[in-house]
Coordinates of all heavy atoms in Angstrom, one line a residue:
T215 N -17.2 -33.1 53.1 CA -16.7 -31.7 52.8 C -15.2 -31.8 52.3 O -14.4 -32.6 52.8 CB -16.7 -30.8 54.1 OG1 -16.2 -31.5 55.1 CG2 -18.2 -30.5 54.4
G216 N -14.8 -30.8 51.4 CA -13.5 -30.7 51.0 C -12.7 -29.9 52.1 O -13.2 -29.1 52.8
S217 N -11.4 -30.3 52.2 CA -10.6 -29.7 53.3 C -10.3 -28.1 53.0 O -10.1 -27.4 53.9 CB -9.2 -30.4 53.4 OG -8.4 -30.2 52.3
R218 N -10.5 -27.7 51.8 CA -10.3 -26.3 51.5 C -11.6 -25.5 51.5 O -11.6 -24.3 51.2 CB -9.6 -26.1 50.1 CG -8.3 -26.7 50.1 CD -7.6 -26.6 48.7 NE -6.4 -27.3 48.6 CZ -6.3 -28.5 48.3 NH1 -7.3 -29.2 48.1 NH2 -5.1 -29.2 48.2
E219 N -12.6 -26.1 52.0 CA -13.9 -25.3 52.1 C -13.9 -24.3 53.1 O -13.1 -24.4 54.1 CB -15.1 -26.3 52.4 CG -15.6 -27.2 51.4 CD -16.9 -27.9 51.7 OE1 -17.6 -27.3 52.5 OE2 -17.1 -29.0 51.2
A220 N -14.6 -23.2 52.9 CA -14.8 -22.1 53.9 C -15.3 -22.9 55.1 O -16.1 -23.8 55.1 CB -15.7 -21.1 53.5
K221 N -14.9 -22.3 56.3 CA -15.2 -23.0 57.6 C -16.5 -22.4 58.2 O -16.6 -21.2 58.3 CB -14.1 -23.0 58.6 CG -12.8 -23.6 58.2 CD -12.9 -25.1 58.1 CE -11.7 -25.8 57.5 NZ -11.5 -25.7 56.1
S222 N -17.4 -23.3 58.5 CA -18.6 -22.9 59.2 C -18.4 -22.9 60.8 O -17.5 -23.7 61.2 CB -19.8 -23.8 58.8 OG -20.2 -23.5 57.6
L223 N -19.2 -22.2 61.5 CA -19.2 -22.2 62.9 C -20.3 -23.0 63.4 O -21.2 -23.4 62.6 CB -19.3 -20.8 63.5 CG -18.1 -19.8 63.2 CD1 -18.5 -18.5 63.9 CD2 -16.8 -20.4 63.6
D224 N -20.4 -23.5 64.7 CA -21.6 -24.1 65.2 C -22.7 -23.0 65.1 O -22.5 -21.8 65.1 CB -21.4 -24.6 66.7 CG -21.4 -23.5 67.6 OD1 -22.4 -23.0 68.1 OD2 -20.2 -22.9 67.8
A225 N -23.9 -23.5 65.0 CA -25.0 -22.6 64.6 C -25.2 -21.5 65.6 O -25.4 -20.4 65.2 CB -26.3 -23.5 64.5
S226 N -25.0 -21.8 66.8 CA -25.2 -20.7 67.9 C -24.2 -19.6 67.7 O -24.5 -18.4 67.8 CB -25.1 -21.2 69.3 OG -26.0 -22.3 69.5
G227 N -22.9 -20.0 67.5 CA -21.9 -19.0 67.2 C -22.1 -18.1 66.0 O -22.0 -16.9 66.0
A228 N -22.6 -18.8 64.9 CA -23.0 -18.1 63.7 C -24.1 -17.1 63.9 O -24.0 -16.0 63.4 CB -23.3 -19.1 62.6
V229 N -25.1 -17.6 64.7 CA -26.2 -16.6 64.9 C -25.8 -15.5 65.7 O -26.1 -14.3 65.4 CB -27.4 -17.5 65.6 CG1 -28.4 -16.5 66.3 CG2 -28.0 -18.5 64.7
R230 N -24.9 -15.7 66.7 CA -24.4 -14.6 67.5 C -23.7 -13.6 66.6 O -23.9 -12.4 66.7 CB -23.5 -15.1 68.5 CG -24.0 -15.0 70.0 CD -22.9 -15.2 71.1 NE -21.9 -16.3 70.8 CZ -22.2 -17.6 71.0 NH1 -23.4 -18.0 71.5 NH2 -21.3 -18.5 70.8
N231 N -22.9 -14.1 65.7 CA -22.2 -13.1 64.8 C -23.2 -12.4 63.9 O -22.9 -11.2 63.6 CB -21.2 -13.9 63.9 CG -20.0 -14.3 64.6 OD1 -19.7 -13.8 65.7 ND2 -19.2 -15.3 64.2
I232 N -24.2 -13.0 63.4 CA -25.2 -12.3 62.6 C -25.9 -11.2 63.4 O -26.0 -10.1 62.9 CB -26.2 -13.3 62.0 CG1 -25.6 -14.3 61.1 CG2 -27.4 -12.5 61.3 CD1 -26.6 -15.3 60.5
N233 N -26.3 -11.5 64.6 CA -27.0 -10.5 65.4 C -26.1 -9.4 66.0 O -26.7 -8.5 66.6 CB -27.8 -11.2 66.5 CG -28.9 -12.1 65.9 OD1 -29.5 -11.7 64.9 ND2 -29.3 -13.2 66.6
G234 N -24.8 -9.6 65.9 CA -23.9 -8.7 66.5 C -23.1 -8.0 65.5 O -23.5 -7.0 64.8
L235 N -21.9 -8.6 65.2 CA -20.9 -7.9 64.3 C -21.5 -7.6 62.9 O -21.4 -6.6 62.3 CB -19.8 -9.0 64.1 CG -18.7 -9.1 65.2 CD1 -17.8 -10.2 64.9 CD2 -18.0 -7.8 65.4
I236 N -22.2 -8.7 62.3 CA -22.7 -8.5 60.9 C -23.8 -7.5 60.8 O -23.8 -6.6 60.0 CB -23.1 -9.9 60.4 CG1 -22.0 -10.9 60.3 CG2 -23.9 -9.7 59.0 CD1 -22.2 -12.3 59.7

Side-chain angles (χ1 to χ4, degrees):
T215 48
S217 64
R218 296 180 186 84
E219 287 193 23
K221 300 287 174 291
S222 285
L223 298 181
D224 71 90
S226 303
V229 167
R230 249 193 320 277
N231 283 343
I232 294 175
N233 289 331
L235 287 171
I236 293 178

